[in-house]
Amino acid sequence: MTAAIFIEWATLISLVLLGLALLVSLVRIVIGPTLSDRVLALDLLTVVAMGFVGAIAVRTGLWLYLDIAIALALLGFLATVALARYVLLRGSRNDIVTEER
Amino acid sequence: MLSGLELYIGGVLLLVGAVFTLLAAVGVVRLPDLYTRMHAASKAGAVGGGLILLAVAVLSQDAAVSLRAIIGMVFLWLTTPVSAHLLARASYLSGYKPCKETMIDELAPNKEQNSAS
């Protein structure tokens, strides 16, 4: 197995795994019982999308995609900070649950 | 053959990063309450995204692209714990209780003192 074929298979498997991760974290965004769970899942979703863009950059050889990944990481951090501020100010008046297992 | 060794290392780093990211997503869905989910998302997610950026830095074979990838990785590893801690503190102060299996709640006696600051 030469290096080029190995890189092709590695990026393909990585893209499949990251797509699964996108779908699985989307589940928590939809069913998440409180606002904080949804904010956390959105934070993870931006990290997964960043990895997706990085894998696409490796697969296609267009390294400008890396700038999109870095901008996405910055955007995810700022969005999480702003939404945490919103959680602190608004509180969670309506959707507090003490989860039972 | 050592001619394409960096390509193999980069591919393995990419695969390990993807596996860590998938484990973070599974942990976010499966764990019982917000704080344990935050443990999965911040640690495994940061390692997964950082390893994928490191794979980009190894595979690009271009100094400018590698430097940008490493700077992005350092940025990700610095900001992910900060945002997770901020969200945990905000949701604790707004009344989200940990699950029943939680043994230690060190913020509980100081809640008024914390929310006043």
Side-chain angles (χ1 to χ4, degrees):
Chain A
M1 182 183 285
T2 63
I5 298 175
F6 175 70
I7 288 298
E8 196 165 333
W9 277 102
T11 50
L12 183 64
I13 295 170
S14 304
L15 284 175
V16 170
L17 291 179
L18 289 167
L20 276 177
L22 278 173
L23 288 178
V24 169
S25 54
L26 196 65
V27 169
R28 177 53 72 189
I29 292 179
V30 172
I31 70 171
T34 64
L35 178 64
S36 301
D37 291 311
R38 295 192 172 97
V39 174
L40 179 70
L42 274 174
D43 189 21
L44 182 65
L45 198 71
T46 54
V47 173
V48 175
M50 194 203 68
F52 206 88
V53 173
I56 287 176
V58 171
R59 189 171 173 82
T60 61
L62 298 174
W63 302 108
L64 276 177
Y65 275 118
L66 184 64
D67 296 339
I68 304 175
I70 293 173
L72 206 56
L74 178 64
L75 191 72
F77 173 61
L78 291 180
T80 308
V81 170
L83 285 169
R85 183 81 182 151
Y86 175 66
V87 168
L88 190 61
L89 289 180
R90 172 186 170 272
S92 302
R93 287 189 296 272
N94 299 322
D95 53 8
I96 283 300
V97 287
T98 51
E99 296 189 12
E100 313 283 340
R101 288 187 74 185
Chain B
M1 57 181 277
L2 285 177
S3 62
L5 184 62
E6 73 277 2
L7 296 180
Y8 289 104
I9 293 174
V12 170
L13 282 177
L14 192 68
L15 281 174
V16 174
V19 169
F20 264 101
T21 315
L22 181 60
L23 283 180
V26 170
V28 164
V29 170
R30 293 282 296 163
L31 286 173
D33 72 337
L34 175 69
Y35 304 103
T36 50
R37 278 172 210 150
M38 194 165 292
H39 148 81
S42 62
K43 284 177 208 157
V47 168
L51 281 182
I52 289 175
L53 282 180
L54 190 63
V56 172
V58 169
L59 286 171
S60 70
Q61 296 174 335
D62 182 3
V65 176
S66 298
L67 189 64
R68 271 182 289 166
I70 289 174
I71 287 174
M73 186 182 74
V74 171
F75 175 79
L76 189 72
W77 285 352
L78 284 180
T79 56
T80 308
V82 173
S83 64
H85 175 258
L86 197 62
L87 185 61
R89 183 176 164 82
S91 52
Y92 187 88
L93 291 182
S94 67
Y96 195 111
K97 293 284 185 291
C99 69
K100 281 184 172 179
E101 285 79 9
T102 304
M103 304 290 285
I104 300 174
D105 187 3
E106 288 185 340
L107 276 178
N110 302 323
K111 193 167 182 190
E112 294 80 14
Q113 178 188 341
N114 281 326
S115 59
S117 64

